[in-house]
Amino acid sequence: MDNQDKNSRPAVMERVRLLTRAMGHRPLACVRTYGCQQNVADSERISGMLSCMGYDFTDRTEEADLVLFNTCAVREHAELKVFGNVGALKGLKAARPDMLIILCGCMMQQETVQQQIRSKYTHVDIVFGPSMIPELPSMMEEALITRNRVFTRRERPEIAEDLPIVRESAHKAWVTVMYGCNNFCTYCIVPYVRGRERSRASAEILKEVQELVRSGYRDITLLGQNVNSYGKDLEGEMDFSDLLAAIDRMDGDFWIRFTTSHPKDCSRKLLDTMAASRKICHQLQLPFQSGSDVILKAMNRHYTAEDYYGLIEYARRVMPDVVVTSDVIVGFPGETEKDFQRTLDLIEKVRFDNLYTFLYSKRTGTRAAAAENQIDEEVKKERFNRLLAAQHPICLAKNKEMEGRDYTVYVESVSKNNPECLSGKTSGGKTIDFPGDAALIGQFCKVTVTRAKSWSLDGRLKECQHD
Ligand code: SAH
Ligand code: SF4
Ligand code: F3S
C-alpha cells in the first residue's frame, strides 16, 4: 500500500473499525444535531462514516461509546444550550474514560469557543468546524491511538463527494448544493464559521438526485445558505434556475424544494422556472429580515422593502398558489419604533403563510455586534410579542383559506400530534394531518382540508394517487 492508499478515507475508516472492535461489542454512537437543515444534512454524512467505522446508533448518551454534537452558532441561546449539554457529559466520561466525546459544527469553528472547551471542558476529545467533517475518521484514529485531545480550526476548501450517507428518512432527503456564504449580513456569524461559497458540480448533484429518486425518495430539498448564488464560483457551471430545470426534466414522480433564497439574488428567471415546472414545489422561503430600508442597509442586505414587495408580487402573479414564508429579526442595533412599524407594515402587506421570528442576538466578530446603539432587551421582547400578535391572525386566515379545498400531499410519517393520523406535506410545504393507513407513507395522496387552526391543518383522505 503506498502512502496515498494508506491515508485514503476508506483505509482510515477500516483501521478505526478495527480499533473500536477491540471494545468487544459493536460500539454505539449518539449523534445530536442542532441548528439548520444544513447541519442535519452534514450529520447524515457523519452518521454514514460512523456506520462504515462499525458503529450502531442510539439516542441515549448513557449507553453511547461515542457522543457527537453537531452544533449551531447562529444565536447565543443555541450556544448556551450546547455548553449546558456538553457539561452534562462530564460524569459519563469520568465513569467510562474510553468513550469519545466529539464536538463539531458552526459553533466549534470559533476561536473563543475552542479556547473555552479546551480549558473548561476537559472531557471533550475532538473539536472541529463544518468544513472538516470529511476528516472525522483521521481525527478519530489520532484520538484513539494517542489518547490526545484533537482540536482544529483548519478550513478544508475542497468538497468531498465520496462520503457515505445514512439518511434520517426513507422518504424525504436533503441534498446540499453549495456550502458557505459570501454575503456577510452584518448580524450573521455564518460566513465566518462556514467560509466562502463553494458549489458542488451540477453533475454530482444530478447524480445524487437521480439515485435518490431511484431508491424511492419522492420529496427532495436542495440546500444552501443562498441557493441563488449556486454555480457562480465554478467556471462554466449552470445557474440555480437551470439546475432546477435540469432536475425537473428527470424521469420519475417526485417533488423538489429548495432553501434558502436571498431576495437580492432571487431572480425573475427562478420564479418563472418554478412556475413552468412540474416537479418544483410552489414554496418560497424568502427571508426579509426587516421592513425598514435604513435597517436593511445597516444589515448589508442590498434590497429595499419595495424591491421585496415587487418580488412577492411577481411570484404570486406567476404562481397564484405559492406559499411564502420568511425570517425576520427584531431589535437589530439602531432599530427605532418607526423602523419596527415598517416591519409590521410589511407583514400586513405581504401576508406570509408563516414567519420565523428572531430576537436579535449579538454575535462576536460580526459588524453589528460592535455597534453602540444596541437595543434594550425589554424593548426587543416587547416588539417581538407585538410581531407575534400581528402574524398570528394572518397564519390562521391563510390556513382558513385552505378549508374545503383539495390538496395533493406527500405522506411523510405518522402524525406527531396524533398517532391515529398521518402527516402529509403539500407542494407549498404545509402539513395536513389526516386519518389513514400507515401503508400510505411515502406516497402522494389527495386530501381535503376539513379544519384549519393557526399552526396546523386537519384533513380527510380523498384519493390515493399511486396504489
Ligand atoms: N442563509 C439563510 C439563513 C441563515 S440563518 C438566509 O440568509 O436566509 C437563519 C436565520 O437566522 C436568518 O434568516 C436570520 O433571520 C436569523 N439570524 C441570523 N443571525 C442572527 C442573529 N445574530 N440574531 C438573530 N437572528 C439571526
Ligand atoms: Fe447569514 Fe446573510 Fe449568509 Fe444568510 S445570507 S447565511 S443571513 S450572511
Ligand atoms: Fe446554525 Fe450553522 Fe445552520 S450557525 S443555522 S447550523 S449554518
Side-chain angles (χ1 to χ4, degrees):
M1 218 188 250
D2 67 24
N3 245 352
Q4 204 180 349
D5 289 339
K6 264 190 354 213
N7 293 330
S8 73
R9 198 171 301 107
V12 179
M13 288 199 288
E14 178 57 15
R15 288 201 298 275
V16 175
R17 196 180 66 80
L18 295 174
L19 281 170
T20 51
R21 208 165 66 173
M23 288 175 187
H25 62 274
R26 200 166 156 91
L28 288 175
C30 174
V31 176
R32 294 246 166 102
T33 309
Y34 303 80
C36 66
Q37 283 144 344
Q38 195 88 57
N39 262 15
V40 174
D42 285 348
S43 287
E44 292 185 335
R45 286 185 161 72
I46 290 170
S47 296
M49 288 188 282
L50 289 173
S51 175
C52 281
M53 290 185 276
Y55 284 85
D56 276 333
F57 297 94
T58 175
D59 291 334
R60 298 180 49 229
T61 53
E62 303 80 47
E63 61 174 11
D65 301 287
L66 178 155
V67 176
L68 181 145
F69 290 168
N70 190 9
T71 62
C72 170
V74 85
R75 285 177 299 280
E76 191 184 14
H77 179 74
E79 294 203 341
L80 294 176
K81 206 161 82 180
V82 168
F83 276 124
N85 292 347
V86 173
L89 298 175
K90 198 165 187 147
L92 282 183
K93 177 81 173 181
R96 293 187 28 222
D98 61 341
M99 79 182 288
L100 278 182
I101 298 182
I102 305 177
L103 305 180
C104 64
C106 296
M107 181 178 164
M108 297 304 146
Q109 190 59 32
Q110 301 171 97
E111 195 175 358
T112 47
V113 171
Q114 288 214 1
Q115 279 163 355
Q116 218 168 326
I117 304 277
R118 216 186 265 276
S119 58
K120 296 202 190 114
Y121 296 81
T122 51
H123 56 294
V124 174
D125 299 292
I126 303 177
V127 178
F128 58 94
S131 70
M132 287 295 279
I133 287 171
E135 305 298 332
L136 173 69
S138 48
M139 289 186 272
M140 282 174 61
E141 183 179 36
E142 186 183 340
L144 286 167
I145 291 175
T146 65
R147 282 287 151 194
N148 288 337
R149 304 174 77 198
V150 181
F151 282 64
T152 181
R153 287 190 62 239
R154 190 158 85 74
E155 285 185 54
R156 187 183 187 281
E158 325 80 61
I159 295 173
E161 285 293 353
D162 54 348
L163 301 186
I165 308 179
V166 170
R167 298 199 189 259
E168 271 189 3
S169 159
H171 309 290
K172 59 173 181 181
W174 315 112
V175 174
T176 302
V177 298
M178 59 183 299
Y179 297 89
C181 182
N182 289 354
N183 285 326
F184 290 95
C185 303
T186 55
Y187 50 82
C188 185
I189 195 76
V190 172
Y192 300 91
V193 293
R194 281 201 172 254
R196 294 295 66 71
E197 287 175 356
R198 283 137 14 243
S199 301
R200 289 176 69 193
S202 55
E204 294 288 348
I205 297 167
L206 295 173
K207 194 170 84 186
E208 187 174 344
V209 172
Q210 193 112 57
E211 279 163 14
L212 285 167
V213 172
R214 230 179 263 138
S215 41
Y217 287 87
R218 298 278 173 265
D219 192 343
I220 298 167
T221 304
L222 306 184
L223 295 180
Q225 290 304 335
N226 177 21
V227 287
N228 306 121
S229 288
Y230 172 78
K232 288 185 186 159
D233 56 315
L234 299 179
E235 216 175 297
E237 188 51 277
M238 54 176 87
D239 68 13
F240 187 63
S241 305
D242 291 338
L243 178 70
L244 280 173
I247 295 174
D248 188 53
R249 283 193 297 273
M250 282 182 179
D251 288 336
D253 196 10
F254 65 96
W255 276 352
I256 191 98
R257 307 174 192 276
F258 58 89
T259 191
T260 302
S261 297
H262 191 305
K264 83 171 161 55
D265 301 313
C266 177
S267 61
R268 304 286 197 266
K269 178 179 172 190
L270 173 76
L271 299 170
D272 290 339
T273 305
M274 290 171 75
S277 81
R278 289 167 305 150
K279 294 172 182 152
I280 309 170
C281 289
H282 287 186
Q283 173 181 15
L284 195 59
Q285 155 67 6
L286 195 62
F288 74 96
Q289 313 298 4
S290 169
S292 153
D293 291 346
V294 177
I295 297 296
L296 285 171
K297 192 155 200 297
M299 286 176 162
N300 194 31
R301 292 288 288 181
H302 298 282
Y303 56 86
T304 62
E306 210 43 51
D307 298 334
Y308 189 85
Y309 293 135
L311 263 180
I312 300 291
E313 249 172 36
Y314 188 81
R316 287 184 170 151
R317 188 155 9 112
V318 295
M319 289 177 283
D321 62 342
V322 69
V323 168
V324 184
T325 59
S326 195
D327 293 353
V328 55
I329 297 176
V330 173
F332 182 83
E335 183 189 71
T336 61
E337 175 59 28
K338 215 162 123 196
D339 293 319
F340 176 65
Q341 203 59 49
R342 300 241 189 285
T343 293
L344 290 178
D345 293 346
L346 190 144
I347 69 162
E348 294 291 349
K349 193 160 162 187
V350 172
R351 298 179 65 77
F352 294 104
D353 286 87
N354 207 352
L355 192 59
Y356 302 95
T357 44
F358 301 101
L359 277 171
Y360 170 73
S361 168
K362 208 168 155 179
R363 306 285 60 217
T364 311
T366 62
R367 254 172 54 209
E372 276 168 13
N373 45 2
Q374 302 287 330
I375 306 293
D376 189 76
E377 282 306 313
E378 285 310 308
V379 175
K380 273 194 221 172
K381 283 195 190 127
E382 188 263 340
R383 287 182 189 164
F384 187 76
N385 290 335
R386 277 157 64 202
L387 185 66
L388 292 186
Q391 178 59 28
H392 189 118
I394 300 175
C395 284
L396 181 61
K398 282 273 175 187
N399 281 349
K400 284 274 178 211
E401 285 170 18
M402 296 174 70
E403 267 181 356
R405 294 199 189 156
D406 295 343
Y407 290 87
T408 300
V409 296
Y410 180 67
V411 187
E412 283 189 339
S413 60
V414 171
S415 161
K416 286 185 198 86
N417 308 323
N418 178 355
E420 310 275 293
C421 282
L422 302 174
S423 277
K425 209 190 230 178
T426 66
S427 159
K430 295 227 179 179
T431 300
I432 306 177
D433 286 347
F434 63 98
D437 192 307
L440 295 177
I441 294 172
Q443 300 198 28
F444 288 103
C445 292
K446 200 155 256 177
V447 169
T448 312
V449 174
T450 51
R451 196 156 74 113
K453 291 171 270 180
S454 300
W455 316 118
S456 65
L457 294 155
D458 293 335
R460 174 178 3 98
L461 183 64
K462 185 158 185 201
E463 71 194 56
C464 188
Q465 298 192 325
H466 306 281
D467 280 323

